[in-house]
Amino acid sequence: MIRAVIAIALGILLYLVVNSTSLKEKLANFWRTHFRSIYYVSCVCFAWIHITKYELNWTNILLLPILTLPQLMSALIYGYIRVSFGFRYPLFFHMSNNLLAISLSLLPFTG
């Protein structure tokens, strides 16, 4: 019962904070003035999250920028398309990219 009351109280508090007009204006202003930094940092973070595909050892950690370069380029390209043209187009390109990779992996390569 105590957890439910705490959750409801925090939910109401969060709702009041998020719907504050002055906070919305400050966040919108911060977003406008720092958009490039937010964009590039989020692209790098997205790429670096993909290091989990590799074994974590010092060599892979030192090679992190090189190993995650394809994900970084994808993030930059899809992000640019998203900002310029909307949500549907990068989604379509990402699905096409995955379809191409899956299709190529299903081809029978015999020697």
Side-chain angles (χ1 to χ4, degrees):
M1 182 68 174
I2 293 173
R3 289 182 185 176
V5 171
I6 291 173
I8 291 171
L10 285 175
I12 292 170
L13 180 66
L14 184 62
Y15 177 79
L16 294 174
V17 169
V18 169
N19 284 327
S20 169
T21 308
S22 64
L23 181 64
K24 282 184 181 179
E25 290 173 3
K26 288 178 184 176
L27 287 174
N29 187 31
F30 179 81
W31 185 264
R32 272 192 302 274
T33 57
H34 296 92
F35 179 76
R36 282 187 175 198
S37 301
I38 294 168
Y39 175 75
Y40 290 122
V41 167
S42 65
C43 287
V44 168
C45 288
F46 171 79
W48 286 1
I49 286 172
H50 287 85
I51 193 65
T52 58
K53 293 191 310 185
Y54 304 98
E55 180 183 344
L56 286 179
N57 56 36
W58 283 111
T59 305
N60 287 346
I61 292 172
L62 291 174
L63 294 174
L64 178 69
I66 296 170
L67 290 174
T68 59
L69 188 62
Q71 288 83 11
L72 178 63
M73 297 309 296
S74 294
L76 291 171
I77 292 168
Y78 294 149
Y80 175 77
I81 295 171
R82 163 67 176 96
V83 169
S84 299
F85 301 108
F87 180 74
R88 282 188 240 162
Y89 295 104
L91 180 65
F92 171 74
F93 283 116
H94 189 275
M95 288 170 41
S96 300
N97 186 23
N98 289 348
L99 180 66
L100 178 66
I102 290 171
S103 299
L104 289 175
S105 70
L106 295 176
L107 286 176
F109 291 105
T110 57

Coordinates of all heavy atoms in Angstrom, one line a residue, residues 24-88:
K24 N 8.8 24.0 -19.7 CA 8.7 23.7 -21.1 C 9.4 24.7 -21.9 O 10.1 24.3 -22.9 CB 7.2 23.6 -21.5 CG 6.5 22.3 -21.1 CD 5.1 22.3 -21.7 CE 4.4 21.1 -21.3 NZ 3.0 21.1 -21.9
E25 N 9.3 26.0 -21.6 CA 10.0 27.0 -22.4 C 11.5 26.9 -22.2 O 12.2 27.0 -23.2 CB 9.5 28.4 -21.9 CG 8.1 28.7 -22.3 CD 7.5 30.0 -21.7 OE1 8.3 30.7 -21.1 OE2 6.4 30.3 -22.0
K26 N 11.9 26.6 -21.0 CA 13.4 26.5 -20.8 C 13.9 25.3 -21.5 O 15.0 25.4 -22.1 CB 13.7 26.4 -19.3 CG 13.5 27.7 -18.5 CD 13.7 27.5 -17.0 CE 13.4 28.7 -16.3 NZ 13.6 28.6 -14.8
L27 N 13.2 24.2 -21.5 CA 13.7 23.0 -22.2 C 13.7 23.2 -23.7 O 14.6 22.8 -24.4 CB 12.8 21.8 -21.8 CG 13.0 21.2 -20.4 CD1 12.0 20.1 -20.1 CD2 14.4 20.7 -20.3
A28 N 12.7 23.9 -24.2 CA 12.6 24.1 -25.6 C 13.7 25.1 -26.1 O 14.4 24.9 -27.1 CB 11.3 24.8 -26.0
N29 N 14.0 26.0 -25.2 CA 15.1 27.0 -25.5 C 16.5 26.2 -25.5 O 17.3 26.4 -26.3 CB 15.1 28.1 -24.5 CG 16.2 29.2 -24.9 OD1 16.5 29.4 -26.1 ND2 16.7 29.8 -23.9
F30 N 16.7 25.4 -24.5 CA 17.9 24.6 -24.3 C 18.0 23.7 -25.6 O 19.1 23.5 -26.1 CB 17.9 23.7 -23.1 CG 19.1 22.9 -22.9 CD1 20.2 23.4 -22.4 CD2 19.1 21.5 -23.2 CE1 21.4 22.6 -22.2 CE2 20.2 20.7 -23.1 CZ 21.3 21.3 -22.5
W31 N 17.0 23.0 -26.0 CA 17.0 22.1 -27.1 C 17.4 22.9 -28.4 O 18.2 22.4 -29.2 CB 15.6 21.5 -27.3 CG 15.6 20.5 -28.4 CD1 15.2 20.7 -29.7 CD2 16.0 19.1 -28.3 NE1 15.3 19.5 -30.4 CE2 15.7 18.5 -29.6 CE3 16.4 18.3 -27.3 CZ2 16.0 17.2 -29.9 CZ3 16.7 17.0 -27.6 CH2 16.5 16.4 -28.8
R32 N 16.8 24.1 -28.6 CA 17.1 24.9 -29.8 C 18.6 25.3 -29.8 O 19.2 25.3 -30.8 CB 16.2 26.1 -29.9 CG 14.9 25.9 -30.6 CD 14.2 27.2 -30.8 NE 14.0 28.0 -29.6 CZ 12.9 27.8 -28.9 NH1 12.0 26.9 -29.2 NH2 12.7 28.5 -27.8
T33 N 19.1 25.8 -28.7 CA 20.4 26.3 -28.6 C 21.5 25.2 -28.6 O 22.6 25.5 -29.1 CB 20.7 27.2 -27.4 OG1 20.4 26.5 -26.2 CG2 19.8 28.4 -27.5
H34 N 21.2 24.0 -28.2 CA 22.2 23.0 -28.1 C 21.9 21.8 -29.0 O 22.3 20.6 -28.7 CB 22.3 22.5 -26.6 CG 22.8 23.5 -25.7 ND1 22.0 24.4 -25.0 CD2 24.1 23.9 -25.4 CE1 22.7 25.2 -24.3 NE2 24.0 25.0 -24.5
F35 N 21.1 21.9 -30.0 CA 20.6 20.8 -30.8 C 21.8 20.0 -31.4 O 21.8 18.8 -31.4 CB 19.7 21.3 -31.9 CG 19.2 20.1 -32.8 CD1 18.2 19.3 -32.3 CD2 19.7 19.9 -34.0 CE1 17.8 18.2 -33.0 CE2 19.3 18.8 -34.8 CZ 18.3 18.0 -34.3
R36 N 22.8 20.7 -32.0 CA 23.9 20.0 -32.6 C 24.6 19.2 -31.6 O 25.0 18.0 -31.9 CB 24.9 21.0 -33.2 CG 24.4 21.6 -34.5 CD 25.5 22.4 -35.1 NE 25.1 22.8 -36.5 CZ 25.9 23.3 -37.4 NH1 27.1 23.4 -37.1 NH2 25.4 23.6 -38.6
S37 N 24.9 19.7 -30.5 CA 25.6 18.9 -29.4 C 24.8 17.7 -29.0 O 25.3 16.6 -28.9 CB 25.9 19.7 -28.2 OG 26.7 20.9 -28.5
I38 N 23.5 17.9 -28.8 CA 22.6 16.8 -28.4 C 22.6 15.7 -29.5 O 22.7 14.5 -29.3 CB 21.2 17.3 -28.1 CG1 21.2 18.2 -26.9 CG2 20.2 16.1 -27.9 CD1 20.0 18.9 -26.6
Y39 N 22.5 16.2 -30.8 CA 22.4 15.3 -31.9 C 23.7 14.4 -32.0 O 23.6 13.2 -32.1 CB 22.2 16.1 -33.2 CG 22.3 15.3 -34.4 CD1 21.2 14.5 -34.8 CD2 23.4 15.4 -35.3 CE1 21.2 13.8 -36.0 CE2 23.4 14.6 -36.5 CZ 22.3 13.8 -36.8 OH 22.3 13.1 -38.0
Y40 N 24.9 15.0 -32.0 CA 26.1 14.3 -32.2 C 26.4 13.4 -31.0 O 26.9 12.3 -31.1 CB 27.3 15.3 -32.5 CG 27.2 15.9 -33.8 CD1 27.2 17.3 -34.0 CD2 27.1 15.1 -35.0 CE1 27.0 17.8 -35.2 CE2 27.0 15.7 -36.2 CZ 27.0 17.0 -36.3 OH 26.9 17.6 -37.6
V41 N 26.2 13.9 -29.8 CA 26.4 13.0 -28.6 C 25.5 11.8 -28.6 O 25.9 10.7 -28.3 CB 26.2 13.9 -27.3 CG1 26.2 13.0 -26.1 CG2 27.4 14.9 -27.2
S42 N 24.2 12.0 -29.0 CA 23.3 10.9 -29.0 C 23.7 9.9 -30.1 O 23.6 8.7 -29.9 CB 21.9 11.3 -29.2 OG 21.7 11.9 -30.5
C43 N 24.3 10.4 -31.3 CA 24.7 9.5 -32.3 C 25.9 8.6 -31.8 O 26.0 7.4 -32.1 CB 25.1 10.2 -33.6 SG 23.7 10.9 -34.5
V44 N 26.9 9.3 -31.1 CA 28.0 8.6 -30.6 C 27.6 7.6 -29.5 O 28.1 6.4 -29.5 CB 29.1 9.6 -30.1 CG1 30.2 8.9 -29.3 CG2 29.7 10.4 -31.2
C45 N 26.7 8.0 -28.7 CA 26.2 7.0 -27.6 C 25.5 5.8 -28.3 O 25.7 4.7 -27.8 CB 25.3 7.7 -26.7 SG 26.1 8.9 -25.6
F46 N 24.7 6.1 -29.3 CA 24.1 5.0 -30.0 C 25.1 4.0 -30.6 O 25.0 2.8 -30.5 CB 23.2 5.5 -31.1 CG 22.6 4.5 -32.0 CD1 21.5 3.7 -31.6 CD2 23.2 4.2 -33.2 CE1 21.0 2.7 -32.5 CE2 22.7 3.3 -34.1 CZ 21.6 2.5 -33.7
A47 N 26.1 4.6 -31.2 CA 27.2 3.7 -31.8 C 27.9 2.9 -30.7 O 28.1 1.7 -30.9 CB 28.1 4.6 -32.6
W48 N 28.3 3.6 -29.6 CA 29.0 2.9 -28.6 C 28.3 1.9 -27.8 O 28.8 1.0 -27.3 CB 29.7 4.0 -27.7 CG 30.8 4.7 -28.3 CD1 31.3 4.5 -29.6 CD2 31.6 5.7 -27.7 NE1 32.3 5.4 -29.8 CE2 32.5 6.1 -28.7 CE3 31.6 6.3 -26.5 CZ2 33.5 7.1 -28.4 CZ3 32.5 7.3 -26.2 CH2 33.5 7.7 -27.2
I49 N 26.9 2.0 -27.8 CA 26.1 0.9 -27.2 C 26.3 -0.4 -27.9 O 26.3 -1.4 -27.3 CB 24.7 1.4 -27.2 CG1 24.4 2.4 -26.1 CG2 23.7 0.2 -26.9 CD1 23.0 3.0 -26.2
H50 N 26.6 -0.3 -29.2 CA 26.8 -1.6 -30.0 C 28.1 -2.3 -29.7 O 28.4 -3.3 -30.4 CB 26.6 -1.2 -31.5 CG 25.2 -1.0 -31.8 ND1 24.7 0.3 -31.7 CD2 24.3 -1.8 -32.3 CE1 23.4 0.2 -32.1 NE2 23.1 -1.0 -32.5
I51 N 28.9 -1.8 -28.8 CA 30.2 -2.5 -28.4 C 29.8 -3.8 -27.8 O 30.6 -4.7 -27.7 CB 31.1 -1.6 -27.6 CG1 32.5 -2.2 -27.5 CG2 30.5 -1.5 -26.2 CD1 33.3 -2.3 -28.7
T52 N 28.6 -4.0 -27.3 CA 28.2 -5.2 -26.6 C 28.1 -6.4 -27.6 O 28.0 -7.5 -27.1 CB 26.8 -5.0 -25.9 OG1 25.8 -4.7 -26.9 CG2 26.9 -4.0 -24.9
K53 N 28.2 -6.1 -28.9 CA 28.3 -7.2 -29.9 C 29.6 -7.9 -29.8 O 29.7 -9.0 -30.4 CB 28.0 -6.7 -31.3 CG 26.6 -6.2 -31.5 CD 26.3 -5.9 -33.0 CE 27.3 -5.1 -33.7 NZ 27.0 -4.7 -35.0
Y54 N 30.6 -7.3 -29.2 CA 31.9 -7.8 -29.2 C 32.3 -8.3 -27.8 O 31.7 -7.8 -26.8 CB 32.9 -6.8 -29.7 CG 32.6 -6.3 -31.0 CD1 31.9 -5.0 -31.2 CD2 33.0 -7.0 -32.2 CE1 31.6 -4.6 -32.5 CE2 32.7 -6.5 -33.4 CZ 32.0 -5.3 -33.6 OH 31.7 -4.8 -34.8
E55 N 33.3 -9.1 -27.7 CA 33.8 -9.5 -26.4 C 34.5 -8.3 -25.7 O 35.2 -7.5 -26.4 CB 34.9 -10.6 -26.6 CG 35.5 -11.1 -25.3 CD 36.6 -12.1 -25.5 OE1 36.6 -12.7 -26.6 OE2 37.3 -12.4 -24.6
L56 N 34.2 -8.0 -24.5 CA 34.7 -6.9 -23.8 C 36.1 -7.2 -23.3 O 36.3 -7.9 -22.3 CB 33.8 -6.4 -22.7 CG 32.6 -5.7 -23.1 CD1 31.7 -5.3 -21.9 CD2 32.8 -4.5 -23.9
N57 N 37.1 -6.7 -24.0 CA 38.5 -6.8 -23.5 C 39.2 -5.4 -23.9 O 38.6 -4.6 -24.5 CB 39.3 -8.0 -24.1 CG 39.2 -8.0 -25.6 OD1 39.3 -6.9 -26.3 ND2 39.1 -9.2 -26.2
W58 N 40.4 -5.2 -23.4 CA 41.1 -4.0 -23.6 C 41.3 -3.6 -25.1 O 41.2 -2.5 -25.5 CB 42.4 -3.9 -22.9 CG 42.2 -3.7 -21.4 CD1 42.4 -4.6 -20.4 CD2 41.6 -2.5 -20.8 NE1 42.0 -4.0 -19.2 CE2 41.6 -2.8 -19.4 CE3 41.2 -1.3 -21.2 CZ2 41.1 -1.8 -18.5 CZ3 40.7 -0.4 -20.3 CH2 40.7 -0.6 -19.0
T59 N 41.5 -4.6 -25.9 CA 41.8 -4.4 -27.3 C 40.5 -3.8 -28.0 O 40.5 -2.8 -28.7 CB 42.2 -5.7 -28.0 OG1 43.3 -6.2 -27.4 CG2 42.5 -5.4 -29.5
N60 N 39.4 -4.5 -27.7 CA 38.1 -4.0 -28.3 C 37.7 -2.6 -27.7 O 37.1 -1.8 -28.4 CB 37.0 -5.0 -28.1 CG 37.2 -6.2 -28.9 OD1 38.0 -6.2 -29.9 ND2 36.5 -7.3 -28.6
I61 N 38.0 -2.4 -26.5 CA 37.6 -1.1 -25.9 C 38.5 0.0 -26.5 O 38.0 1.1 -26.8 CB 37.8 -1.1 -24.4 CG1 36.7 -2.0 -23.8 CG2 37.7 0.3 -23.8 CD1 36.8 -2.3 -22.3
L62 N 39.8 -0.3 -26.8 CA 40.6 0.7 -27.4 C 40.2 0.9 -28.9 O 40.4 2.0 -29.4 CB 42.1 0.3 -27.3 CG 42.7 0.3 -25.9 CD1 44.1 -0.2 -25.9 CD2 42.7 1.8 -25.3
L63 N 39.7 -0.1 -29.5 CA 39.3 0.0 -30.9 C 37.8 0.4 -31.0 O 37.3 0.3 -32.1 CB 39.5 -1.4 -31.6 CG 41.0 -1.8 -31.8 CD1 41.1 -3.2 -32.4 CD2 41.7 -0.8 -32.7
L64 N 37.2 0.8 -30.0 CA 35.8 1.2 -29.9 C 35.4 2.1 -31.1 O 34.4 1.9 -31.8 CB 35.4 1.8 -28.6 CG 34.0 2.3 -28.4 CD1 33.1 1.1 -28.4 CD2 33.9 3.0 -27.1
P65 N 36.1 3.2 -31.3 CA 35.7 4.1 -32.4 C 35.7 3.4 -33.8 O 34.9 3.7 -34.6 CB 36.8 5.2 -32.4 CG 37.3 5.2 -31.0 CD 37.3 3.8 -30.6
I66 N 36.7 2.5 -34.0 CA 36.7 1.9 -35.3 C 35.7 0.8 -35.4 O 35.0 0.6 -36.5 CB 38.2 1.3 -35.5 CG1 39.2 2.4 -35.6 CG2 38.2 0.4 -36.8 CD1 40.6 2.0 -35.5
L67 N 35.5 0.0 -34.3 CA 34.5 -1.1 -34.4 C 33.1 -0.6 -34.5 O 32.3 -1.3 -35.1 CB 34.6 -1.9 -33.1 CG 35.9 -2.8 -32.9 CD1 35.9 -3.4 -31.6 CD2 36.0 -3.8 -34.0
T68 N 32.8 0.6 -34.0 CA 31.4 1.1 -34.0 C 31.2 2.1 -35.1 O 30.2 2.8 -35.1 CB 31.0 1.6 -32.7 OG1 31.9 2.7 -32.3 CG2 31.0 0.6 -31.6
L69 N 32.2 2.3 -36.0 CA 32.1 3.3 -37.1 C 30.9 3.0 -38.0 O 30.2 4.0 -38.3 CB 33.4 3.3 -37.9 CG 33.5 4.4 -38.9 CD1 33.4 5.8 -38.2 CD2 34.7 4.3 -39.7
P70 N 30.5 1.8 -38.4 CA 29.3 1.6 -39.2 C 28.1 2.1 -38.5 O 27.2 2.7 -39.1 CB 29.3 0.1 -39.4 CG 30.7 -0.3 -39.3 CD 31.3 0.6 -38.2
Q71 N 27.9 1.8 -37.2 CA 26.8 2.3 -36.4 C 26.7 3.8 -36.3 O 25.7 4.4 -36.3 CB 26.7 1.6 -35.0 CG 26.4 0.1 -35.0 CD 27.6 -0.7 -35.3 OE1 28.7 -0.3 -35.3 NE2 27.3 -2.0 -35.6
L72 N 27.9 4.4 -36.1 CA 28.0 5.8 -36.1 C 27.5 6.5 -37.4 O 26.7 7.4 -37.4 CB 29.4 6.3 -35.7 CG 29.6 7.8 -35.6 CD1 28.7 8.4 -34.5 CD2 31.0 8.2 -35.4
M73 N 28.0 5.9 -38.5 CA 27.6 6.5 -39.8 C 26.1 6.3 -40.0 O 25.4 7.2 -40.5 CB 28.4 5.8 -40.9 CG 29.9 6.1 -40.8 SD 30.3 7.9 -40.7 CE 29.7 8.5 -42.2
S74 N 25.6 5.1 -39.6 CA 24.1 4.9 -39.8 C 23.3 5.9 -38.9 O 22.3 6.4 -39.4 CB 23.8 3.5 -39.3 OG 24.3 2.5 -40.2
A75 N 23.8 6.1 -37.7 CA 23.1 7.0 -36.8 C 23.1 8.5 -37.4 O 22.1 9.2 -37.4 CB 23.7 7.0 -35.4
L76 N 24.2 8.9 -37.9 CA 24.3 10.2 -38.5 C 23.4 10.3 -39.7 O 22.7 11.3 -39.9 CB 25.8 10.5 -38.9 CG 26.7 10.7 -37.7 CD1 28.2 10.8 -38.2 CD2 26.4 12.0 -36.9
I77 N 23.5 9.3 -40.6 CA 22.7 9.4 -41.8 C 21.2 9.3 -41.5 O 20.4 10.1 -42.0 CB 23.1 8.3 -42.8 CG1 24.5 8.5 -43.3 CG2 22.1 8.1 -43.9 CD1 25.1 7.4 -44.1
Y78 N 20.8 8.3 -40.7 CA 19.3 8.2 -40.4 C 18.9 9.4 -39.6 O 17.7 9.8 -39.7 CB 19.1 6.9 -39.6 CG 19.3 5.7 -40.4 CD1 19.8 4.5 -39.8 CD2 19.1 5.6 -41.8 CE1 20.0 3.3 -40.5 CE2 19.4 4.5 -42.5 CZ 19.8 3.3 -41.9 OH 20.0 2.2 -42.6
G79 N 19.7 10.0 -38.7 CA 19.3 11.1 -37.9 C 19.1 12.3 -38.8 O 18.2 13.1 -38.7
Y80 N 20.0 12.5 -39.8 CA 19.8 13.6 -40.8 C 18.5 13.5 -41.6 O 17.8 14.4 -41.7 CB 21.0 13.7 -41.7 CG 20.9 14.7 -42.8 CD1 21.0 16.1 -42.5 CD2 20.5 14.3 -44.1 CE1 20.9 17.0 -43.5 CE2 20.3 15.3 -45.1 CZ 20.5 16.6 -44.8 OH 20.3 17.6 -45.7
I81 N 18.3 12.2 -42.0 CA 17.0 12.0 -42.8 C 15.8 12.3 -41.9 O 14.8 12.9 -42.3 CB 17.0 10.6 -43.3 CG1 18.1 10.4 -44.4 CG2 15.7 10.3 -44.0 CD1 18.3 8.9 -44.8
R82 N 15.9 11.9 -40.6 CA 14.8 12.1 -39.7 C 14.5 13.6 -39.5 O 13.4 14.0 -39.5 CB 15.1 11.4 -38.3 CG 14.3 11.8 -37.2 CD 12.8 11.4 -37.3 NE 12.1 11.7 -36.2 CZ 11.3 12.8 -36.0 NH1 11.3 13.7 -37.0 NH2 10.6 13.0 -35.0
V83 N 15.6 14.3 -39.3 CA 15.4 15.8 -39.0 C 14.9 16.5 -40.3 O 14.1 17.4 -40.2 CB 16.7 16.4 -38.5 CG1 16.7 17.9 -38.5 CG2 17.1 15.8 -37.1
S84 N 15.4 16.1 -41.4 CA 15.1 16.7 -42.7 C 13.7 16.4 -43.2 O 13.0 17.2 -43.8 CB 16.1 16.5 -43.7 OG 17.4 16.9 -43.3
F85 N 13.3 15.1 -43.1 CA 12.2 14.6 -43.8 C 11.1 14.0 -43.0 O 10.0 13.6 -43.5 CB 12.6 13.6 -44.9 CG 13.6 14.1 -45.9 CD1 14.9 13.8 -45.9 CD2 13.2 15.1 -46.8 CE1 15.8 14.3 -46.8 CE2 14.1 15.6 -47.7 CZ 15.4 15.2 -47.7
G86 N 11.3 13.7 -41.7 CA 10.3 13.1 -40.9 C 10.7 11.7 -40.5 O 11.7 11.2 -40.8
F87 N 9.8 11.0 -39.8 CA 10.1 9.7 -39.2 C 10.0 8.6 -40.1 O 10.8 7.6 -40.0 CB 9.1 9.5 -38.0 CG 9.3 8.2 -37.3 CD1 10.4 8.0 -36.5 CD2 8.5 7.1 -37.5 CE1 10.6 6.8 -35.8 CE2 8.7 5.9 -36.9 CZ 9.8 5.8 -36.1
R88 N 9.1 8.7 -41.1 CA 8.9 7.5 -42.0 C 10.1 7.1 -42.8 O 10.4 6.0 -43.1 CB 7.7 7.8 -42.9 CG 6.4 7.6 -42.3 CD 5.3 7.8 -43.3 NE 4.5 8.9 -42.8 CZ 3.6 9.5 -43.6 NH1 3.5 9.1 -44.9 NH2 2.9 10.5 -43.2

